[in-house]
Amino acid sequence: MANHSFMLAAPASTLSQAPTAGEVSSDRFFRALAAVAAVFILLLVAYVVWKIGGRAAPAIQRFHIGFLTSSDWNVQTEKFGALPAIWGTLYSSLIALIVGGFFGLMVAIFLTQDFLPKKLAFVFRLIVEMLAAIPSVVFGLWGIFVVIPFIRPAADWLNAHLGWLPFFSSSLSGPGLLPAAIVLAIMILPTIAAISQDALNSVPYRTKEAAYGMGATHWEVILRVMVPTAAGGIFSAMVLGFGRALGETMALAMLIGNSNQVSLSLFAPAETLAALLASHFPEAGEVELQALMYAALVLLAITLIVNVAGIGLLTLTQRRITGKA
Amino acid sequence: METIVQKIDLVRCYAIAAALALILPSGPAFADSLRLVGSGASFPFPIYSAWFKDFSKKNGVTVDYQAKGSGAGIKDFINKTVDFAASDAAMKDEEIAQVEQGVVLIPITAGEIVLAYNIPGVNAGLKLPRDVYPDIFAGKITKWNDPRIQSANPDAKLPDLPITVVRRSDSSGTTFVFTKHLSAISPTFKQEIGSGTTVEWPKTDKNVGAPKNDGVTATIKQTPGAIGYIEYGYAKLTKTPVAELQNKDGKYVEPSSESGAATLAAAKLGPDLRGWIEDPAGADAYPIASFTWLLFYREQDAKKAEVLRNFVEYASTEGQKIADKMGYIPLPDGVVEKVKAASAEIK
């Protein structure tokens, strides 16, 4: 048994041993712990939905589905509707996703596809990720004091010359959809950039070498090979970014203008579900509280649908690219 | 900046409070170290925090005050999660009925609500007639060079600029007092918008909401053509121009501690020290002002009651000295007497 040279060759003596009682029990313990934690999270989600649903139940009975299509929010007459907030949430998040998604992907390509020396790329990556550490309130203030004055001349010009387009049909008052969406885009950019970089980095180096070997140019490699191969990861980056944009509260409450109207205009004040909750919750009376819970439930449902749809699309695109079932 | 972070991030506050509630033992365990917890109105928050700081230092007690809004303060008070609360709208009868220990309402300071504006080229002295400013907020007057504004300001160069109304997006005592006043002087406003801590404002692109007094102030400062209602202290602090308003006697009065004092002199407080000043008479009275109240339990822990009585004593005498500097109106002497008498009820 005690063959010295053999022991040296394979010092991991436990490999050949049956697991000890301690190892078995610790393994079981960790399994149980992981299972409990997983179940706990599921229960927590179920509990949150159940609790909010319970609080929202009176409002659901009272306003039915009309809550989703009405645009009143009147505490005096107790008429509540979330259409402007739902519209504003989706509209602002979509613009943020288009802008933030484009720039996020560009940043990811720039930092991973040999445009910069490795060390410099690392520094840039840190700087982009630092954006994620800025508190929402600071983004809100920055939006008020920097973004709005900055876009005002352009907004005025667009309104004056292209005002017949519904997107530019109102003049910018200050807070409004566009400043909110721009700040949102910046807030989701680090998420999209970071996950897209990981996706691009995880494409095997051989794939790239093969593409170069076939005579492809740098840009052909990036756009025809790298990005499609990493599409799954890039797509989930977009979904996560969109999810973050939907739920973002504080900066939006400060920038969106909190006006209950449905408008295509980029410069009009609007409302989002999260901002509505944040600004009305602290002082809401009984009926308004139920309506707010209903709105919270709607926000939860939208987020859920976006995530499920995102995962569904992700598997679809991956199947197409990898050819696997 | 500190107050913005503190006051705006309510949701986060709740999350932290909820987390703490899970971790920490409940309130009574702290009673011995005499830590007083209060919550409520954000309108008097600047002066309250100055008072609490000073009072705590002198008396060796800790006072934690969360400016989460009058409605939230009343809610906490009814649920007994605080030792005292503060409200710009005092308390309604049905709310008082829900507190079985009884309630002592103390008007402790008062403030004016001003119309701050941002008109390029007009940096001071804008006069707004009594029939004009309700119509601006009802969305009926939409341009700064409207003849009705121009005729009251013959010398001012009013630009051809749309009026952007900036109002509170959260529900607030400031909105309550302001809309109550507008409803009192304008039947149209009363009928179309009404009064309350939140109201349904006209749905136009030129009516935007911002959170809290600081949010409204910042938005006004950043938006050419904006007008909005804020607490006088915030306008004073940020040096934002404010309008002179025409009062019941037809005089234009600018907000100041003197015109505020004239307004308070017109106020009639009931035996429970509640009372509204919807449309004060008097040539020097500024039209929009309101008391703000502290709410105490009538019967409570003797030790806490003593400290709270001392606090009322401090705030109604020494505390009033800093009121003017901070943009609030010192209480009239008659009210101070009543406050002292009422504070003896906190037992």
Side-chain angles (χ1 to χ4, degrees):
Chain A
M1 190 87 181
N3 186 326
H4 196 68
S5 62
F6 179 73
M7 288 280 283
L8 274 179
S13 57
T14 51
L15 266 182
S16 54
Q17 273 174 9
T20 61
E23 280 166 344
V24 169
S25 61
S26 75
D27 176 62
R28 285 203 180 132
F29 175 72
F30 271 109
R31 260 170 209 251
L33 195 70
V36 167
V39 170
F40 180 73
I41 288 172
L42 286 180
L43 282 179
L44 195 68
V45 172
Y47 179 73
V48 167
V49 172
W50 181 66
K51 228 19 202 181
I52 294 177
R55 295 289 295 277
I60 296 174
Q61 277 168 7
R62 190 167 160 169
F63 304 114
H64 299 290
I65 203 81
F67 187 73
L68 307 180
T69 55
S70 150
S71 56
D72 287 315
W73 196 276
N74 193 323
V75 181
Q76 274 74 39
T77 56
E78 299 195 334
K79 278 194 190 125
F80 299 104
L83 181 66
I86 296 170
W87 166 256
T89 305
L90 293 174
Y91 197 21
S92 62
S93 301
L94 196 68
I95 298 173
L97 181 64
I98 293 169
V99 178
F102 177 77
F103 283 101
L105 183 57
M106 290 304 125
V107 167
I109 290 174
F110 183 62
L111 296 185
T112 55
Q113 300 307 310
D114 312 320
F115 287 99
L116 287 176
K118 279 252 161 9
K119 277 183 185 162
L120 203 57
F122 177 73
V123 173
F124 267 80
R125 178 175 181 151
L126 276 185
I127 293 171
V128 172
E129 278 169 19
M130 247 157 59
L131 277 178
I134 298 174
S136 190
V137 178
V138 176
F139 268 116
L141 287 172
W142 182 74
I144 291 177
F145 291 109
V146 179
V147 175
I148 292 175
F150 182 73
I151 65 172
R152 193 185 294 284
D156 287 345
W157 189 88
L158 285 170
N159 176 238
H161 293 87
L162 295 169
W164 48 272
L165 276 173
F167 302 110
F168 310 126
S169 59
S170 53
S171 65
L172 184 77
S173 317
L177 196 84
L178 190 63
I182 289 175
V183 169
L184 258 189
I186 296 167
M187 293 178 82
I188 65 174
L189 190 132
T191 312
I192 293 178
I195 300 175
S196 301
Q197 281 178 67
D198 290 342
L200 286 168
N201 275 331
S202 65
V203 175
Y205 199 71
R206 279 174 305 172
T207 312
K208 201 194 254 182
E209 278 179 335
Y212 278 124
M214 290 170 75
T217 64
H218 196 182
W219 277 107
E220 279 169 347
V221 170
I222 291 169
L223 295 178
R224 302 266 175 86
V225 178
M226 298 306 283
V227 172
T229 314
I234 292 171
F235 192 79
S236 45
M238 301 286 173
V239 171
L240 277 173
F242 193 60
R244 168 143 199 227
L246 287 175
E248 179 47 50
T249 309
M250 216 46 239
L252 280 190
M254 295 165 81
L255 286 171
I256 194 84
N258 309 87
S259 173
N260 262 329
Q261 53 174 353
V262 178
S263 166
L264 261 182
S265 173
L266 293 171
F267 308 137
E271 181 69 297
T272 75
L273 285 164
L276 178 81
L277 287 169
S279 49
H280 287 258
F281 197 73
E283 299 212 14
E286 195 51 40
V287 180
E288 192 184 10
L289 208 60
Q290 292 158 358
L292 286 171
M293 287 296 177
Y294 196 173
L297 212 57
V298 172
L299 180 58
L300 214 62
I302 292 177
T303 324
L304 195 72
I305 291 168
V306 165
N307 277 315
V308 170
I311 292 166
L313 277 171
L314 182 63
T315 21
L316 264 181
T317 46
Q318 261 177 343
R319 227 177 262 170
R320 219 179 47 126
I321 289 163
T322 58
K324 276 183 221 152
Chain B
M1 285 300 124
E2 189 197 342
T3 58
I4 292 177
V5 175
Q6 238 169 357
K7 291 193 292 177
I8 282 180
D9 217 349
L10 283 171
V11 176
R12 202 159 292 167
C13 283
Y14 282 124
I16 294 168
L20 285 179
L22 287 173
I23 300 163
L24 298 171
S26 54
F30 282 89
D32 295 327
S33 61
L34 263 177
R35 175 168 166 273
L36 296 171
V37 182
S39 72
S42 64
F43 165 76
F45 177 71
I47 194 168
Y48 283 1
S49 59
W51 283 348
F52 292 142
K53 210 170 156 191
D54 192 33
F55 182 75
S56 302
K57 217 185 321 174
K58 286 176 183 158
N59 292 273
V61 293
T62 321
V63 187
D64 290 333
Y65 181 76
Q66 258 197 334
K68 41 164 110 158
S70 300
I74 293 175
K75 227 182 269 173
D76 286 348
F77 189 68
I78 291 172
N79 294 335
K80 303 189 178 60
T81 56
V82 288
D83 297 307
F84 69 94
S87 162
D88 300 332
M91 270 176 104
K92 291 183 199 137
D93 288 334
E94 60 264 30
E95 287 164 347
I96 293 177
Q98 288 176 49
V99 185
E100 65 257 36
Q101 297 104 310
V103 178
V104 179
L105 297 166
I106 305 267
I108 199 68
T109 186
E112 288 156 298
I113 292 166
V114 301
L115 300 186
Y117 60 85
N118 176 350
I119 312 173
V122 183
N123 295 321
L126 179 77
K127 291 184 172 67
L128 291 176
R130 214 170 142 71
D131 56 338
V132 165
Y133 63 86
D135 279 359
I136 290 178
F137 281 86
K140 305 230 182 296
I141 297 177
T142 56
K143 289 265 184 186
W144 279 114
N145 60 356
D146 190 283
R148 289 168 71 193
I149 304 177
Q150 188 71 69
S151 65
N153 301 276
D155 302 331
K157 266 202 190 131
L158 290 165
D160 177 18
L161 193 69
I163 301 179
T164 301
V165 170
V166 186
R167 40 85 190 170
R168 292 284 288 266
S169 60
D170 48 336
S171 80
S172 94
T174 315
T175 307
F176 176 79
V177 172
F178 182 62
T179 51
K180 226 172 151 75
H181 168 72
L182 292 187
S183 294
I185 65 168
S186 161
T188 354
F189 190 90
K190 187 175 185 177
Q191 196 198 340
E192 286 177 18
I193 294 164
S195 64
T197 50
T198 52
V199 293
E200 193 162 38
W201 295 100
K203 287 175 190 159
T204 74
D205 293 340
K206 295 289 152 204
N207 184 302
V208 298
K212 302 281 162 192
N213 270 306
D214 4 27
V216 174
T217 314
T219 307
I220 294 170
K221 293 209 86 137
Q222 290 301 317
T223 311
I227 186 168
Y229 57 93
I230 49 175
E231 201 270 319
Y232 177 48
Y234 287 89
K236 197 169 172 174
L237 210 68
T238 56
K239 300 196 173 61
T240 315
V242 297
E244 293 175 23
L245 301 183
Q246 191 181 29
N247 65 15
K248 200 174 188 173
D249 291 18
K251 294 269 184 335
Y252 288 96
V253 182
E254 65 174 4
S256 67
S257 57
E258 292 81 35
S259 61
T263 312
L264 293 195
K268 288 185 184 65
L269 291 177
D272 53 3
L273 298 188
R274 281 186 295 177
W276 304 110
I277 320 164
E278 287 175 11
D279 189 18
D284 304 324
Y286 181 77
I288 324 170
S290 173
F291 287 106
T292 180
W293 284 263
L294 285 172
L295 321 173
F296 299 102
Y297 297 111
R298 191 173 287 271
E299 280 159 33
Q300 56 172 304
D301 181 75
K303 236 186 190 166
K304 279 187 186 177
E306 192 192 331
V307 177
L308 291 173
R309 279 200 303 272
N310 288 342
F311 176 71
V312 173
E313 169 75 26
Y314 160 83
S316 60
T317 51
E318 207 175 320
Q320 298 298 317
K321 287 176 199 154
I322 62 165
D324 185 20
K325 195 179 74 194
M326 301 203 63
Y328 296 85
I329 317 167
L331 292 177
D333 291 342
V335 177
V336 172
E337 292 309 311
K338 285 185 191 163
V339 161
K340 283 185 178 162
S343 79
E345 309 266 314
I346 310 169
K347 286 173 200 149

